[in-house]
Amino acid sequence: SSSSSPEPLKTLAGNDIYAAEEVIKKSRFIGYASHCTNWDDAQVILQSVRKDHPKARHVCFGFVSSAGVSSGGGSEGGGEEGGGGAGTERCSDDGEPTGTAGVPILGAIK
């Protein structure tokens, strides 16, 4: 019998940016993943994605600081404001229905 095992987890390191793309029902989804040591680094990546894809309707994201994870929840919606120190989690649905993009992304990277 043939069974497929899940892909092994990958650790993001260095300055590489990993990308994957999928088209579902004529909608194009592009995912990026990169190691960021702080929220400022993550914002640079987000700005780059917005610049590279000016027609994108939504730029959803999840962010967990490399310094650790707090026990509190992530910020939803306008999660781009604020610091980003140790234990910070952030995510945004960027106009998608609440909880359908940012929170699942955050869960996948935690």
Side-chain angles (χ1 to χ4, degrees):
S1 80
S2 65
S3 64
S4 63
S5 58
E7 284 191 42
L9 296 177
K10 296 180 181 175
T11 300
L12 301 176
N15 293 324
D16 291 338
I17 297 176
Y18 301 86
E21 183 176 330
E22 188 167 346
V23 176
I24 301 171
K25 295 182 181 178
K26 298 182 182 179
S27 292
R28 184 177 171 206
F29 297 86
I30 306 170
Y32 294 98
S34 180
H35 178 265
C36 297
T37 57
N38 57 53
W39 177 235
D40 290 338
D41 289 350
Q43 287 182 302
V44 170
I45 301 279
L46 289 169
Q47 290 170 358
S48 174
V49 169
R50 287 186 177 105
K51 181 182 174 196
D52 291 347
H53 301 284
K55 293 182 179 181
R57 292 191 187 119
H58 309 282
V59 177
C60 307
F61 67 85
F63 167 81
V64 177
S65 71
S66 59
V69 179
S70 66
S71 58
S75 82
E76 187 56 50
E80 292 187 52
E81 292 88 30
T88 300
E89 296 179 2
R90 294 182 175 275
C91 63
S92 174
D93 294 321
D94 193 31
E96 291 283 4
T98 301
T100 62
V103 172
I105 293 167
L106 183 64
I109 62 175
K110 281 171 54 174

